[in-house]
């Protein structure tokens, strides 16, 4: 029995950007727990969001799956610090009695402002601890929407995001092979991006165009 941990991506998960007139280069990835989105009633000077999903499988609980789908709308801010993280662990099982651990986190963040400083972190980590033949997958998706003026998602957008959330729940708890699971989850992330682009296009116009970006980090079997 040995301990095996997949290496993290070489690229830094920490992105810090000065955003001017709604244009930003930070990543989008997502974790969510509630749809419709929660909109800020006032315009705070700073916004902070942290979402984390953790799954642990072992001999007592051979199959474990956790997912999160969170929508946060902050309105106008001068600075934002957002963090999204997924961790999955399989421990103490064997090739004849293997474990499966899946953790998936989708985080959607929207904000507006003439000049916003963004600190965005998106991380995932999957570890097999003395777990030969175990299946362990962690995926973090962070979506950031920047607009020149604040807006909130309408009911149509909320319904679309709620449907994606429902399907993410089904996927995370499925027994699909790893390659197909990753492909399906990536497909859902693509749908989120399309929905957010459509929603941002309806936001009040300003001097800058709205922008949607995504950060994606997958770790675990069978490779990245």
């Amino acid at each position: 029995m040995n301990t095996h941990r997949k290496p993290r991506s070489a690229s830094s998960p920490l992105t810090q950007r000065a955003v001017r007139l709604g244009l930003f280069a930070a990543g989008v990835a997502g974790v969510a727990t509630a749809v419709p989105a929660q909109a800020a009633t006032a315009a705070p000077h700073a916004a902070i969001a942290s979402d984390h999903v953790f799954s642990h499988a072992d001999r007592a609980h051979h199959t474990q799956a956790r997912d999160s789908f969170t929508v946060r709308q902050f309105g106008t801010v001068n600075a934002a610090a957002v963090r999204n993280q997924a961790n999955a662990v399989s421990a103490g099982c064997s090739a004849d009695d293997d474990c499966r651990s899946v953790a998936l986190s989708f985080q959607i963040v929207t904000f507006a402002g003439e000049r916003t400083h963004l600190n965005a972190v998106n991380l995932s980590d999957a570890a097999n601890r003395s777990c030969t033949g175990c299946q362990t997958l962690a995926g973090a998706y962070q979506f950031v929407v920047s607009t020149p003026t604040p807006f909130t998602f309408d009911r149509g957008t909320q319904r679309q995001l709620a449907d994606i959330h429902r399907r993410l729940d089904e996927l995370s708890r499925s027994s699909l092979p790893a390659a197909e699971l990753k492909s399906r989850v990536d497909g859902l992330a693509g749908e989120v991006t399309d929905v957010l682009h459509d929603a941002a296009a309806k936001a009040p116009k300003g001097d800058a165009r709205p922008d949607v970006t995504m950060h994606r980090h997958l770790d675990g079997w069978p490779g990245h």
Side-chain angles (χ1 to χ4, degrees):
M1 309 292 276
N2 63 344
T3 299
H4 177 65
R5 180 181 294 274
K6 295 286 185 179
R8 292 183 181 174
S9 172
S11 61
S12 171
L14 175 62
T15 303
Q16 187 167 9
R17 294 287 189 269
V19 182
R20 181 182 180 86
L21 296 176
L23 296 178
F24 63 94
V28 187
V31 190
T33 53
V35 176
Q38 181 178 10
T41 57
H45 292 294
I48 298 175
S50 180
D51 297 289
H52 182 206
V53 173
F54 176 71
S55 176
H56 184 277
D58 54 30
R59 292 177 181 175
H61 305 281
H62 284 78
T63 301
Q64 294 293 303
R66 299 287 186 272
D67 67 80
S68 176
F69 191 103
T70 302
V71 180
R72 303 179 184 276
Q73 295 194 80
F74 291 119
T76 301
V77 297
N78 295 327
V82 294
R83 181 184 182 91
N84 182 45
Q85 187 169 349
N87 292 88
V89 175
S90 294
C93 299
S94 65
D96 296 329
D97 189 27
D98 59 351
C99 295
R100 178 184 175 107
S101 180
V102 175
L104 300 171
S105 180
F106 277 46
Q107 182 188 58
I108 300 170
V109 177
T110 75
F111 63 86
E114 181 175 334
R115 187 173 183 85
T116 303
H117 295 280
L118 174 65
N119 186 339
V121 177
N122 186 59
L123 300 167
S124 68
D125 183 78
N128 284 350
R129 298 174 180 169
S130 300
C131 206
T132 304
C134 293
Q135 302 176 355
T136 312
L137 177 67
Y141 295 78
Q142 183 181 54
F143 306 85
V144 181
V145 182
S146 173
T147 56
T149 55
F151 79 108
T152 57
F153 294 145
D154 61 23
R155 290 183 179 179
T157 299
Q158 293 170 14
R159 284 194 297 268
Q160 288 176 295
L161 293 176
D163 177 66
I164 295 172
H165 184 188
R166 176 187 58 77
R167 287 183 282 146
L168 178 66
D169 287 342
E170 293 174 353
L171 276 179
S172 65
R173 289 159 177 77
S174 72
S175 58
L176 290 173
E180 185 176 354
L181 177 61
K182 289 181 177 182
S183 177
R184 296 268 195 101
V185 175
D186 279 343
L188 291 183
E191 289 187 43
V192 171
T193 301
D194 290 341
V195 170
L196 296 179
H197 274 295
D198 290 343
K202 302 173 187 176
K205 306 305 178 186
D207 293 335
R209 297 178 59 185
D211 194 33
V212 178
T213 57
M214 180 184 75
H215 280 169
R216 167 191 179 272
H217 194 278
L218 280 172
D219 189 32
W221 112 99
H224 299 284

